Amino acid sequence: MAKKKQRTGGGGTPATVAATGAGVRFTLHAYDHDPGSSSYGEEAVRALGNDPRQVFKTLVAEVDGTLTVAVVPVAGSLDLKALAAAVGGKRAAMADPAAAERTTGYVRGGISPLGQRKRLPTVLDASATAYGTVFVSAGRRGLEIELAPADLIALTSAVTAPIGKD
């Protein structure tokens, strides 16, 4: 059962601290994470009962040797060639999970585009701008943050590009 909680301040994860510090309005959505779940994004969609095109997963890739964050809808997958092109690179591959965790400060399945230990270049799939709000990980498994795409872009200095594919 998902729980909804309006947040305007105080502790939490680095993601919620970053959003709060920036004065961004957001809503937290907590749910009971199933450790046996094979897809964290799909689990969030099921638990929250949301449109999988409005819930975004945070993936870390390596573009020409630079770790880069890709934020794409749970309903699709990441187009690595499009990601590379979006940041002016030539080649992209999924990053080593340990490197992604070490660099972002989050565990796999809970990596948020917000409040990362080291700010990485970030690309948000252009489809996000079609929604009033989007959902991304709030920094731990079982916790999503809902915020306006413009706020997500501003907080992460993201560029938008069509990097998702069905």
Side-chain angles (χ1 to χ4, degrees):
M1 182 63 106
K3 301 168 214 128
K4 184 175 176 178
K5 184 176 179 183
Q6 182 73 35
R7 268 309 262 247
T8 54
T13 68
T16 61
V17 169
T20 300
V24 168
R25 292 182 48 85
F26 62 91
T27 304
L28 284 181
H29 299 270
Y31 59 92
D32 294 323
H33 165 63
D34 175 5
S37 180
S38 61
S39 171
Y40 303 110
E42 288 175 11
E43 178 187 32
V45 166
R46 278 192 309 276
L48 300 174
N50 289 349
D51 181 339
R53 294 169 299 190
Q54 189 179 5
V55 179
F56 286 72
K57 53 191 171 186
T58 305
L59 304 171
V60 181
E62 203 173 301
V63 179
D64 297 339
T66 300
L67 290 180
T68 304
V69 173
V71 185
V72 296
V74 168
S77 59
L78 172 61
D79 181 336
L80 288 165
K81 286 180 86 168
L83 175 64
V87 295
K90 294 182 194 276
R91 305 184 122 210
M94 294 307 297
D96 173 64
E101 289 180 344
R102 188 173 48 253
T103 304
T104 64
Y106 294 116
V107 297
R108 205 165 45 120
I111 294 178
S112 177
L114 307 170
Q116 295 180 357
R117 182 178 289 149
K118 179 182 178 195
R119 182 172 261 198
L120 299 173
T122 302
V123 182
L124 174 63
D125 186 70
S127 68
T129 61
Y131 298 97
T133 61
V134 293
F135 297 75
V136 296
S137 175
R140 71 171 167 80
R141 296 170 186 158
L143 188 64
E144 294 283 306
I145 184 171
E146 178 184 4
L147 72 168
D151 290 331
L152 179 58
I153 292 165
L155 284 171
T156 59
S157 301
V159 297
T160 58
I163 59 167
K165 59 183 179 180
D166 295 331

